[in-house]
Amino acid sequence: MTVRLSSANSYSYAKKDMSFKDYCNHHIHPQQLSALGNGPGTGVPFHFHGPGFAETIWGRKRWFMYPPDVEPKFHPNCTTLQWLMEVYPDVKDNPNLYECTLQPGEIVYFPDKWWHATLNIDSSVFISTFLSP
């Protein structure tokens, strides 16, 4: 079976096709700046959609959010870890940037069309519930 990897959902430009076996044998490891991974350091780069809730079941997940009228500085092919290392130091004091770290059992509400990115601090399990706008 072939799987398609990208650094984000529909916002990333670069896609990489590989066999599921190759993915399991070579890509199940913590995120690195130079390659996609799975576990600590992974996440979803900035994107937006309708409103909803996200609950962390296992592990910790860091959230970064901007209001709909403030587009964050990011490149669609960069991972959240790259953004954290390269861009975050310049924007961390921006009053439009909201951030939090969810612990197991905690929940966050993301409003309609708010930009958000996530970073898994640990291997994590979470549930997202999307609401109608």
Side-chain angles (χ1 to χ4, degrees), residues 64-75:
F64 306 93
M65 292 188 269
Y66 281 94
D69 60 335
V70 180
E71 185 171 345
K73 179 182 173 186
F74 78 103
H75 189 281

Side-chain angles (χ1 to χ4, degrees), residues 6-24:
S6 67
S7 61
N9 48 26
S10 60
Y11 289 95
S12 61
Y13 303 128
K15 311 279 189 217
K16 183 174 182 177
D17 290 337
M18 68 178 59
S19 71
F20 183 67
K21 181 178 180 180
D22 187 44
Y23 173 75
C24 291

Side-chain angles (χ1 to χ4, degrees), residues 43-85:
V44 179
F46 281 102
H47 64 286
F48 64 87
H49 44 68
F53 294 93
E55 180 181 4
T56 301
I57 307 300
W58 180 267
R60 296 170 295 158
K61 184 179 285 282
R62 191 165 173 187
W63 281 73
F64 306 93
M65 292 188 269
Y66 281 94
D69 60 335
V70 180
E71 185 171 345
K73 179 182 173 186
F74 78 103
H75 189 281
N77 286 342
C78 290
T79 65
T80 303
L81 183 59
Q82 287 173 296
W83 178 86
L84 183 71
M85 303 298 288

Side-chain angles (χ1 to χ4, degrees), residues 106-120:
E106 294 182 334
I107 191 168
V108 66
Y109 171 74
F110 45 89
D112 190 29
K113 296 185 177 58
W114 272 56
W115 290 94
H116 55 281
T118 61
L119 181 71
N120 296 316

